[in-house]
Amino acid sequence: MITEVPGVLVGHSHRLTEGWATGTTVVLVPGGAVGAVDSRGGAPGTRETDLLEPSNLVSSVHAVCLSGGSAYGLAAADGVMRWLSERNIGFPVGPQPHQVVPIVPAAVLFDLDMSSWGNWPDASFGYSACASAAASFELGTVGAGTGARTGSLKGGVGSASVRVGQHVVGALAAVNAVGEAVDRATGLPWLPSLGTSPVELPPFVGSRLNTTIGVVATNAALSKAECRRLAMAAHDGLARAVRPAHSMFDGDTVFALATGEVPVSSPFELDALCTAAAEVFAESIVSGISEASTVADVKAFRDL
Amino acid sequence: MITEVPGVLVGHSHRLTEGWATGTTVVLVPGGAVGAVDSRGGAPGTRETDLLEPSNLVSSVHAVCLSGGSAYGLAAADGVMRWLSERNIGFPVGPQPHQVVPIVPAAVLFDLDMSSWGNWPDASFGYSACASAAASFELGTVGAGTGARTGSLKGGVGSASVRVGQHVVGALAAVNAVGEAVDRATGLPWLPSLGTSPVELPPFVGSRLNTTIGVVATNAALSKAECRRLAMAAHDGLARAVRPAHSMFDGDTVFALATGEVPVSSPFELDALCTAAAEVFAESIVSGISEASTVADVKAFRDL
């Protein structure tokens, strides 16, 4: 899980009741982490991504907010900011400890067709997700993955991590891709870790806005520019696990967080972290699909 | 004024009372406009800028939200989205007319030290600014310029426009720069249109987060990539009117909107619009400073 990286917590808030199937997931780093982003989908919905450009001032991020609700769901980040500011966590802008502006980049996915119109995450979802943040958290049809779909399957929140020497690289993905995680021709998953027996997929849903969003995190000490390489690498994992990936109707966006505990001594070491980031992001996508549960007529992989 | 471009409306909402000096300005294009952005300050606070990348799907923007309140003020865009969606204005995402997601890029400026802590624009500011939007609007200490400062002077909202053949190019700026609009050595404004007699500036305020944000608009028919050239050109106007410009503590961000009424027949014609964009953005900055009125101990240019 991404929380194998010390200092990283995850919280969900969602509503899965009559007329509701949406939610918000927050990756919280109360101690701050160097942050970066790479947005490669054709239809992103984002907030506070420009400050992550390596040449810019702010280098420490306090949370990443991932939410359903399409652009309406960007409001969830307002609640994350409030929760952090109540705890004096943020970029200092005045002499008093409470005078902080929390840095909360955010991205949203399209799940509006899974709820009645108008039922989307607001600031209270972000606030509740922070309040529930912990090292232990649920996967599947939870948080930002509650209304998620992937091709013809139910999508969800997945997570994975790996050790690379003294370093840990973890990832979390809210998987809602246009593309399929399973080859429709053979019935076999693109990544064997999702299963080795062919499945029969439900009919393809057709035109729909989608989006996979997520976070890769590491305990490595990285600059903003180095951190951006991790976010870029994670998109390779997305390309491997879902086809097509990065469509015009996906807002695929990955954030990277580096908590700075363990130095990186060479570009080769950084490169090994990038290779790992691609792998754990692909594994996160697999776990998001395999942990998801069926919602209404959107079948989960494990129910096929 | 920017509203010389047909189809462009401007509305303000602000609070200038005990403990409050902040607000929101909305540039509304209910009919939609091709949109672009160029963010060149070192400390931007933004929302929905990634979708403006020319290779991405969405090409029509329905409003640009400019707000005080630093990153907290990004919440104002939630209210702009609500106002637009109540009127069925947005990117269609379902079969019903009300199933729309309004496209509302936003940028914020830092004015937190002009209000009591916690007094910043929320969604209601964005909603009210839309409700008041019209072709005729106020300049100076209004909307997003209410708590703005520029170097040692009061900043504010300014606007200007110019005709270039059949085309109109207009701009609106909320001027809150780290730099000075007046040369401290000579007391003369960098741009003569601000005045030709030397003034004595108040002491420089020193370290503070700032930001100039704004919009250039045209009736030209531009692609997203061409539109981006207008936003880029506007930053040259900023560089001429304020020194230093684009500091690490400015989040300088300019949006461009093209309503598509009048075709552009050659790159030379586009280039003339870019030259005009730089000029009207510089003039908007001048008008923001010259129209501003003194708030507390932050002196306006016209009171010197």
Side-chain angles (χ1 to χ4, degrees):
Chain A
M1 305 277 256
I2 193 174
T3 48
E4 290 296 313
V5 179
V8 175
L9 307 173
V10 172
H12 300 301
S13 173
H14 48 257
R15 200 159 158 193
L16 184 55
T17 55
E18 183 63 31
W20 284 85
T22 189
T24 300
T25 295
V26 172
V27 178
L28 204 65
V29 272
V34 170
V37 66
D38 189 22
S39 181
R40 295 182 69 74
T46 56
R47 179 170 160 151
E48 292 288 57
T49 50
D50 291 313
L51 62 84
L52 297 174
E53 155 65 30
S55 64
N56 287 346
L57 176 71
V58 169
S59 65
S60 197
V61 162
H62 307 101
V64 172
C65 178
L66 307 174
S67 190
S70 189
Y72 295 110
L74 291 172
D78 300 333
V80 178
M81 288 188 70
R82 184 159 62 84
W83 190 90
L84 287 164
S85 70
E86 286 172 3
R87 282 149 189 85
N88 299 349
I89 299 171
F91 184 87
V93 295
Q96 304 297 323
H98 67 275
Q99 292 177 318
V100 295
V101 176
I103 305 299
V104 185
V108 291
L109 57 80
F110 185 90
D111 60 1
L112 295 180
D113 52 355
M114 296 288 284
S115 299
S116 301
W117 187 255
N119 291 352
W120 44 66
D122 61 11
S124 72
F125 280 67
Y127 192 91
S128 300
C130 290
S132 78
S136 164
F137 62 100
E138 303 289 309
L139 297 178
T141 302
V142 292
T146 306
R149 303 205 295 209
T150 299
S152 49
L153 294 172
K154 183 73 185 75
V157 170
S159 190
S161 69
V162 67
R163 286 203 162 269
V164 185
Q166 292 299 101
H167 294 115
V168 187
V169 181
L172 179 144
V175 190
N176 186 53
V178 165
E180 295 280 13
V182 173
D183 183 355
R184 292 198 76 86
T186 64
L188 287 167
W190 298 117
L191 285 195
S193 49
L194 191 54
T196 49
S197 329
V199 295
E200 196 181 331
L201 290 176
F204 191 70
V205 179
S207 69
R208 179 178 184 262
L209 287 161
N210 282 72
T211 288
T212 296
I213 49 183
V215 177
V216 287
T218 180
N219 63 345
L222 301 180
S223 68
K224 284 175 83 177
E226 290 169 332
C227 199
R228 180 149 202 277
R229 303 276 342 157
L230 279 199
M232 292 166 73
H235 281 284
D236 291 346
L238 173 56
R240 288 170 195 152
V242 175
R243 301 177 199 191
H246 304 122
S247 85
M248 282 299 276
F249 308 99
D250 283 311
D252 302 341
T253 299
V254 182
F255 299 93
L257 299 170
T259 62
E261 273 190 344
V262 182
V264 168
S265 57
S266 78
F268 299 102
E269 227 173 62
L270 172 59
D271 208 48
L273 299 181
C274 290
T275 302
E279 280 173 23
V280 291
F281 201 76
E283 288 302 322
S284 295
I285 289 172
V286 166
S287 97
I289 293 157
S290 61
E291 297 288 334
S293 43
T294 297
V295 170
D297 58 344
V298 185
K299 283 272 181 296
F301 180 80
R302 63 179 173 196
D303 293 329
L304 293 180
Chain B
M1 306 278 256
I2 193 174
T3 48
E4 291 296 312
V5 179
V8 174
L9 307 172
V10 172
H12 300 302
S13 173
H14 47 257
R15 201 160 157 192
L16 184 55
T17 55
E18 183 62 30
W20 285 84
T22 189
T24 300
T25 295
V26 172
V27 178
L28 204 65
V29 271
V34 169
V37 67
D38 189 22
S39 181
R40 294 182 70 73
T46 57
R47 179 171 161 150
E48 292 288 55
T49 50
D50 291 312
L51 62 83
L52 296 174
E53 155 65 31
S55 64
N56 286 346
L57 175 72
V58 169
S59 64
S60 198
V61 163
H62 308 101
V64 172
C65 178
L66 307 174
S67 190
S70 189
Y72 295 110
L74 291 172
D78 299 333
V80 178
M81 288 188 69
R82 184 160 62 86
W83 191 90
L84 287 164
S85 70
E86 286 172 3
R87 283 151 189 84
N88 299 349
I89 299 171
F91 184 88
V93 295
Q96 303 299 323
H98 67 276
Q99 291 176 320
V100 296
V101 176
I103 305 299
V104 184
V108 291
L109 57 80
F110 184 90
D111 60 0
L112 295 179
D113 53 354
M114 296 286 285
S115 299
S116 301
W117 186 254
N119 291 352
W120 44 66
D122 60 12
S124 73
F125 280 67
Y127 192 91
S128 300
C130 290
S132 78
S136 164
F137 62 99
E138 302 289 310
L139 297 178
T141 302
V142 292
T146 306
R149 303 205 294 209
T150 298
S152 50
L153 294 171
K154 182 73 185 75
V157 170
S159 190
S161 69
V162 66
R163 286 203 162 267
V164 185
Q166 293 298 102
H167 293 116
V168 187
V169 181
L172 178 143
V175 190
N176 186 53
V178 165
E180 295 279 12
V182 174
D183 182 354
R184 292 197 76 87
T186 63
L188 287 167
W190 297 117
L191 285 194
S193 49
L194 192 55
T196 49
S197 327
V199 296
E200 195 180 331
L201 289 176
F204 190 69
V205 179
S207 71
R208 178 178 185 260
L209 287 161
N210 282 72
T211 288
T212 297
I213 48 182
V215 178
V216 287
T218 180
N219 62 345
L222 302 180
S223 69
K224 283 175 82 176
E226 290 169 333
C227 200
R228 181 152 201 275
R229 302 274 347 154
L230 279 198
M232 292 166 72
H235 281 285
D236 290 348
L238 173 56
R240 288 170 195 153
V242 176
R243 302 178 197 190
H246 304 122
S247 85
M248 281 300 276
F249 308 99
D250 284 309
D252 302 342
T253 299
V254 182
F255 298 93
L257 299 170
T259 62
E261 273 190 343
V262 182
V264 168
S265 56
S266 79
F268 299 101
E269 226 171 64
L270 173 59
D271 208 48
L273 299 182
C274 290
T275 301
E279 280 173 22
V280 292
F281 202 75
E283 288 302 321
S284 295
I285 289 172
V286 167
S287 97
I289 293 157
S290 61
E291 297 287 335
S293 43
T294 297
V295 171
D297 59 344
V298 186
K299 283 272 182 296
F301 180 78
R302 64 178 173 197
D303 292 331
L304 292 180

